[in-house]
Amino acid sequence: MGTDPDTDIALLKIDAPAGLPVAPLGDSAKLRMGEWVCAIGNPLGYEHTVTVGVVSFLGRKLFDMSLDNYIQTDAAINFGNSGGPLINSRGEVIGINAAISSRASSIGFAVPIGSAAAILPQLRARGRVSRGYIGVALRDIDPDIEHSLKLGVSHGAMVEDVTEGSPADHAGLHPYDVVVSLDDHAIRNDDQLIREIAARTPGSTAHLRTMRDGREQSVLIKLTERPQRDGAETSNVRPGGQPPSDRAKVDPDPLPLGLTVRDLDRQTLERLELPKQTRGVLIARVEPMSSSFDNGIERGTVLLEINRQRVETVADYRRIARAARPGDILTLWIYAPDQVQRQLKTIRVEGR
């Protein structure tokens, strides 16, 4: 009757006599890590196989960093288990088996039954799901980013990037803004804001309270419909696939941040399909075992700012990096070409 590619859920109508046995649905929101579960399915053509394990993690993200909320379990899930139920010790369905790890055995993932049940009315009535959308990339507030940027708030959802032409762009949201409440309800983290916005009807209005440079602001945003997940929106260029151009100035000294950077030239802008207005330095190397490496800074990304100070040349980078002291926490604003998105990452300065 309907499908939702974002959650990989379909609603099926079965023509059958009345009185079919029905499995009761549980409350996936009450699941706890370590709780016993069993998975039922038809793996590899073997009918009605049951495996047992525990809930290993809640809220795992696999494909869509904004919407994903998978239950991870070590109950064996194999090819052919998809669509089968994940059941708790009370016999209630608390998830729908959906994916497995290709790199290890006994790591499976299930869609929480609460997420599936929430979209059933739309699938039944319209055959598809419409979600609210404001057009921002978000991250959580943690002590490191709070300290380095002197935010003055310990909870909320920080804006990393704003999609051009989106509702958030029209409403005047900027990177580094922190959303602390939605319609006067406190926002604890980025996941909460994403879920609450996505659950709203496109065309409705959301009242956000944000903090910018220590000042509180009130923003009204009219939601549009969230675009369907589409891999075509992501650049096909793998960053860092070619050696640096001889014409670009390279800083061979990784300094205490563990990064080797070089100036952007026209060739690099074209090769990585960077926006023409991009101003920053290309991260040419990340030292293994450095703080930058440990915190997910990747070769081939573009460093735009450090602690809100623009980094447009190698000289800018060296000046800011040399001023940092061991133990300082820095926030790096980075553009990732493969994700077509700007991101905020924190690192701790190491001793020289």
Side-chain angles (χ1 to χ4, degrees):
M1 297 182 70
T3 61
D4 178 37
D6 284 338
T7 56
D8 198 25
I9 294 295
L11 177 63
L12 306 180
K13 181 180 179 181
I14 299 175
D15 294 321
L20 291 175
V22 176
L25 303 186
D27 185 353
S28 53
K30 294 182 179 179
L31 270 180
R32 295 179 298 171
M33 285 189 285
E35 184 172 338
W36 285 98
V37 290
C38 72
I40 299 178
N42 303 293
L44 306 175
Y46 297 109
E47 293 186 359
H48 307 151
T49 299
V50 176
T51 55
V52 177
V54 298
V55 174
S56 308
F57 191 85
L58 295 169
R60 184 68 73 196
K61 297 181 182 298
L62 302 176
F63 311 109
D64 187 327
M65 294 299 103
S66 59
L67 277 182
D68 285 354
N69 187 35
Y70 287 96
I71 301 166
Q72 180 179 326
T73 178
D74 66 354
I77 295 176
N78 297 294
F79 292 105
N81 269 126
S82 293
L86 188 69
I87 297 175
N88 63 17
S89 58
R90 294 176 293 279
E92 300 166 334
V93 178
I94 44 81
I96 301 173
N97 303 327
I100 60 174
S101 170
S102 61
R103 295 177 294 177
S105 59
S106 297
I107 299 180
F109 307 94
V111 178
I113 200 64
S115 299
I119 64 174
L120 293 185
Q122 288 196 62
L123 292 179
R124 185 179 294 113
R126 305 172 59 238
R128 56 187 293 270
V129 177
S130 294
R131 293 182 172 89
Y133 173 77
I134 60 175
V136 293
L138 301 167
R139 65 155 289 159
D140 203 359
I141 299 292
D142 58 31
D144 283 351
I145 201 166
E146 178 189 354
H147 174 77
S148 67
L149 296 179
K150 299 178 174 58
L151 297 178
V153 292
S154 58
H155 69 278
M158 171 166 274
V159 177
E160 293 183 302
D161 201 359
V162 179
T163 302
E164 186 177 354
S166 67
D169 187 24
H170 293 314
L173 282 183
H174 295 166
Y176 299 105
D177 287 349
V178 180
V179 180
V180 294
S181 76
L182 170 63
D183 291 340
D184 296 325
H185 296 289
I187 294 297
R188 297 183 302 277
N189 52 45
D190 57 331
D191 277 349
Q192 179 189 0
L193 179 60
I194 291 166
R195 285 196 294 269
E196 294 198 17
I197 290 293
R200 299 191 175 207
T201 305
S204 61
T205 300
H207 174 216
L208 302 181
R209 188 160 55 88
T210 67
M211 296 295 293
R212 178 184 297 173
D213 300 327
R215 297 187 299 272
E216 184 177 307
Q217 299 191 20
S218 182
V219 181
L220 283 177
I221 299 183
K222 186 175 182 180
L223 278 57
T224 57
E225 183 167 354
R226 179 186 176 92
Q228 293 288 326
R229 184 187 303 169
D230 184 2
E233 295 180 0
T234 301
S235 169
N236 291 320
V237 178
R238 291 185 62 84
Q242 300 180 22
S245 165
D246 291 337
R247 294 189 297 272
K249 181 179 179 182
V250 179
D251 178 12
D253 181 3
L255 294 171
L257 308 191
L259 301 175
T260 300
V261 303
R262 70 182 182 93
D263 287 333
L264 288 177
D265 57 14
R266 182 175 58 83
Q267 180 184 4
T268 304
L269 288 169
E270 293 175 352
R271 176 169 58 84
L272 297 181
E273 298 183 2
L274 300 174
K276 291 183 179 180
Q277 68 274 19
T278 302
R279 297 292 181 271
V281 294
L282 182 70
I283 297 175
R285 174 177 168 79
V286 183
E287 290 295 315
M289 308 304 293
S290 67
S291 178
S292 293
F293 182 88
D294 291 341
N295 286 278
I297 310 296
E298 296 183 355
R299 176 177 181 263
T301 55
V302 179
L303 176 59
L304 306 171
E305 296 182 3
I306 298 177
N307 274 17
R308 306 195 69 169
Q309 299 180 69
R310 294 292 304 177
V311 180
E312 298 189 359
T313 65
V314 169
D316 291 339
Y317 169 75
R318 293 182 67 84
R319 172 177 52 81
I320 298 171
R322 287 191 182 280
R325 297 291 177 261
D328 286 352
I329 299 172
L330 303 180
T331 296
L332 279 55
W333 197 33
I334 291 171
Y335 179 78
D338 60 335
Q339 299 181 40
V340 197
Q341 181 181 312
R342 292 175 289 185
Q343 304 169 337
L344 291 168
K345 295 183 179 288
T346 56
I347 63 171
R348 187 176 296 273
V349 179
E350 301 166 342
R352 292 178 172 82

